[in-house]
Amino acid sequence: MKKIIYILLGLISISSLSFSKEKVSMIIKNGTILTINNTKEVIKNGVIIIEDNKIIDIGTSEILNKYQSEKIIDADEGIIMPGMINTHNHLPMIAFRGLGEEGIKNRLFAYFFPLESEKLSRDLIYKATILGTIEMAQSGVTTYADMYYHMDEMAEATKKIGIRGILGETIIKFPVVDAKESYGGLEYAKKFIEKYKNDSLIIPALGPHSAYLVSTEKLIEVKEMAEKYKVPVLIHAAEFEDEAGRLPGKYKNGSTIKYLNEIGLLNKNTLLAHAIYLNDEDLELIKKSEVGISYNAIANAKGATGIARINELQELGVNRIGLGTDGPMSTNYVGLIQGLGYASSMQRIKYNDRTIFTPENVLEMATIGGARALNLDTKIGSLEKGKLADIIIFETKSPNMLPNYEPHATIVWQAHPGNITATIVNGKIIVENKLLKTYDLKKNYKEIKEISEDITIFAKELAKKAKEKN
Ligand SMILES: [Zn+2]
């Protein structure tokens, strides 16, 4: 008996020698890795080992002798970094992008809301989300936070393409496309949260529109619901100069931030979109409360709303700040790449200081900063052992990427979405060799063409009417 056991042990050790390389799901090699970890480590000739949906090892090419895989992605001397996080959007509005650009005053009320109330449908929201998430995946966005309607359609479309969504059903004081009653979004959100609370890609959230379009009572209800279901809250805040004039009771003409703080909504669980009009006390409240911030540089410039005091927040030590585009009628693309240099430039011009917002700083905001703002930094936002495999690769051989002296600078000041060669989310390849793997682009083209043909005439009439009111 003993002899047999010795023979068996011998066989096992021989077989483990010949298969000493651990089999893994995927290996990425031959690129410069921007880890965006705590020490901002950059790994030349880097390798990432992925098993299932997680990064299990990361290092230089030396670690290659420990692993084998049937799926090896050669980064071809490109730049490998964490997938970017777009912290504020209303993605299905991509069906309307390019409309209402005639110089309409008060565009939100005179154009957006009437257009949405006439043309939004479940079908449009699904198909537009397909388009939007395709563009995100192709632009290196692997996670986005959104406030809109029919969130179950958005969730299905987002999962179909395969990126992550923090989806907040809109709660607003008037009837909307998916709620006949005022504040119907609350009921809708409950069902949506129940359905998606354990999803691998979707994080259900609550999206009270703003402090001026949701009553105090309902905002408190949102807060309580968020605590009960343990879901994040996404809200527009301090976006407009005259916003405080629309706050209720004693808060009128005060501060949105102070108001949200006093009703208990300014906390780690909340993400404020825009946060432009802040006084010094607001800056301190933001720091103390650990509320997340979404900085939407292009949308705020295009809409002439202002430049947020992001640099001062950073100097105070606030690091829960991510980048956002806002809806596709506000920034007409949904990736972050085109806005990276912009996000930096707007701060430099505001503070008249060309030393702030370095490429490293901006890329941190686009990745781990956004993850912190959404309380996801233990899972995504950097490339480290144990984190989820949300990874993008830039090629560095196209003329616009040459020369490539310093990879952070190359991405922030030179790159465009066409330089993204691979997008991996949750360990799954969504884009490879610049090709989308999860949807037929011809089908998407046809779907969007049909939608836009249906919208054209109404949209032009509406623009004419809105312009007359200017
Ligand atoms: Zn918005």
Side-chain angles (χ1 to χ4, degrees):
M1 187 67 185
K2 255 187 183 169
K3 214 173 180 182
I4 295 170
I5 290 171
Y6 284 137
I7 291 166
L8 275 175
L9 283 174
L11 279 174
I12 289 166
S13 65
I14 288 166
S15 66
S16 63
L17 262 180
S18 55
F19 295 106
S20 59
K21 283 190 168 187
E22 188 183 337
K23 264 195 177 169
V24 294
S25 312
M26 199 191 303
I27 294 173
I28 302 172
K29 63 172 194 177
N30 193 22
T32 298
I33 303 175
L34 312 184
T35 62
I36 326 265
N37 66 10
N38 282 342
T39 60
K40 299 171 183 177
E41 189 184 1
V42 174
I43 306 171
K44 289 213 167 127
N45 205 359
V47 170
I48 297 177
I49 308 296
I50 298 162
E51 175 58 18
D52 194 17
N53 65 343
K54 285 201 173 120
I55 295 168
I56 60 163
D57 208 350
I58 181 164
T60 61
S61 56
E62 279 168 22
I63 64 168
L64 278 175
N65 55 31
K66 291 198 271 177
Y67 304 97
Q68 58 175 326
S69 178
E70 281 171 17
K71 185 68 204 172
I72 295 175
I73 294 183
D74 185 338
D76 192 26
E77 298 170 24
I79 303 164
I80 305 165
M81 64 171 261
M84 289 188 253
I85 300 169
N86 186 340
T87 52
H88 182 57
N89 215 315
H90 314 287
L91 193 57
M93 291 178 84
I94 201 164
F96 308 133
R97 75 170 156 190
L99 291 174
E101 300 289 3
E102 297 88 340
I104 297 164
K105 230 181 196 177
N106 197 2
R107 196 166 169 242
L108 178 65
F109 284 87
Y111 196 81
F112 284 10
F113 287 154
L115 182 62
E116 285 177 335
S117 82
E118 180 70 23
K119 287 296 175 187
L120 273 189
S121 66
R122 268 187 172 273
D123 185 59
L124 179 143
I125 287 173
Y126 180 85
K127 288 171 180 167
T129 305
I130 290 284
L131 172 65
T133 46
I134 288 174
E135 187 177 320
M136 282 188 177
Q138 290 181 326
S139 315
V141 169
T142 53
T143 296
Y144 75 109
D146 206 282
M147 304 164 67
Y148 214 57
Y149 309 104
H150 281 306
M151 278 300 163
D152 48 340
E153 297 290 343
M154 287 194 70
E156 284 314 300
T158 302
K159 283 166 70 68
K160 175 85 188 150
I161 299 307
I163 69 169
R164 292 184 200 283
I166 294 98
L167 304 180
E169 173 68 22
T170 295
I171 294 146
I172 195 162
K173 70 178 184 185
F174 35 74
V176 285
V177 59
D178 60 357
K180 288 194 191 90
E181 309 279 318
S182 302
Y183 300 112
L186 275 163
E187 266 315 300
Y188 194 107
K190 268 182 208 165
K191 288 182 201 139
F192 178 65
I193 292 166
E194 286 295 343
K195 192 171 170 193
Y196 285 94
K197 62 184 175 193
N198 296 316
D199 196 89
S200 59
L201 291 175
I202 304 300
I203 296 175
L206 294 168
H209 182 278
S210 56
Y212 59 91
L213 290 180
V214 182
S215 69
T216 308
E217 187 197 346
K218 293 294 174 184
L219 282 175
I220 291 170
E221 212 176 310
V222 165
K223 180 191 92 114
E224 287 165 356
M225 210 167 134
E227 283 165 1
K228 183 180 167 198
Y229 290 97
K230 297 190 172 57
V231 293
V233 175
L234 314 171
I235 186 168
H236 295 102
E239 179 179 4
F240 301 108
E241 196 170 9
D242 61 354
E243 183 177 313
R246 288 186 269 167
L247 294 177
K250 66 171 181 175
Y251 298 102
K252 194 174 156 78
N253 295 323
S255 141
T256 302
I257 305 301
K258 193 174 177 185
Y259 167 57
L260 292 176
N261 186 50
E262 288 186 13
I263 62 171
L265 253 183
L266 204 74
N267 59 54
K268 213 176 165 178
N269 194 38
T270 299
L271 178 104
L272 307 178
H274 305 298
I276 301 167
Y277 292 96
L278 308 176
N279 59 38
D280 292 347
E281 192 190 349
D282 294 337
L283 297 182
E284 290 295 338
L285 281 175
I286 286 170
K287 186 186 174 186
K288 210 171 131 207
S289 64
E290 296 188 278
V291 71
I293 302 288
S294 174
Y295 168 38
N296 296 248
I298 294 181
N300 299 156
K302 189 184 171 203
T305 42
I307 309 172
R309 296 172 69 177
I310 302 297
N311 189 52
E312 285 162 275
L313 283 171
Q314 286 205 121
E315 283 179 346
L316 275 176
V318 176
N319 67 1
R320 303 166 64 81
I321 306 171
L323 301 180
T325 53
D326 207 350
M329 294 178 83
S330 302
T331 301
N332 295 37
Y333 33 77
V334 295
L336 293 180
I337 298 173
Q338 303 100 310
L340 294 173
Y342 211 92
S344 170
S345 302
M346 294 307 279
Q347 292 296 310
R348 289 181 182 184
I349 203 155
K350 181 177 177 69
Y351 295 100
N352 191 22
D353 184 351
R354 67 141 12 262
T355 68
I356 60 172
F357 269 71
T358 60
E360 208 175 59
N361 185 182
V362 179
L363 281 189
E364 246 188 84
M365 237 175 229
T367 55
I368 194 71
R372 285 190 204 112
L374 290 160
N375 286 312
L376 293 171
D377 49 313
T378 56
K379 294 181 177 141
I380 56 172
S382 61
L383 301 180
E384 298 176 71
K385 258 189 216 181
K387 282 213 169 174
L388 294 167
D390 289 10
I391 302 165
I392 58 173
I393 304 174
F394 287 83
E395 50 88 5
T396 47
K397 293 188 174 171
S398 288
N400 71 298
M401 296 296 269
L402 297 173
N404 170 29
Y405 292 114
E406 202 289 310
H408 298 88
T410 304
I411 291 175
V412 171
W413 298 111
Q414 289 164 231
H416 57 62
N419 300 122
I420 297 276
T421 57
T423 301
I424 296 157
V425 185
N426 213 30
K428 193 178 163 213
I429 298 171
I430 312 298
V431 174
E432 187 177 19
N433 298 324
K434 300 193 179 181
L435 296 174
L436 182 76
K437 296 286 184 185
T438 50
Y439 205 80
D440 178 3
L441 289 182
K442 280 189 191 140
K443 187 174 174 220
N444 174 244
Y445 170 76
K446 202 170 150 260
E447 287 165 353
I448 298 303
K449 194 167 172 355
E450 277 168 20
I451 288 172
S452 56
E453 279 168 2
D454 173 59
I455 290 169
T456 304
I457 294 169
F458 175 82
K460 278 195 182 144
E461 285 298 313
L462 180 64
K464 222 170 112 186
K465 270 187 245 159
K467 192 93 211 243
E468 279 162 15
K469 282 188 212 152
N470 264 5

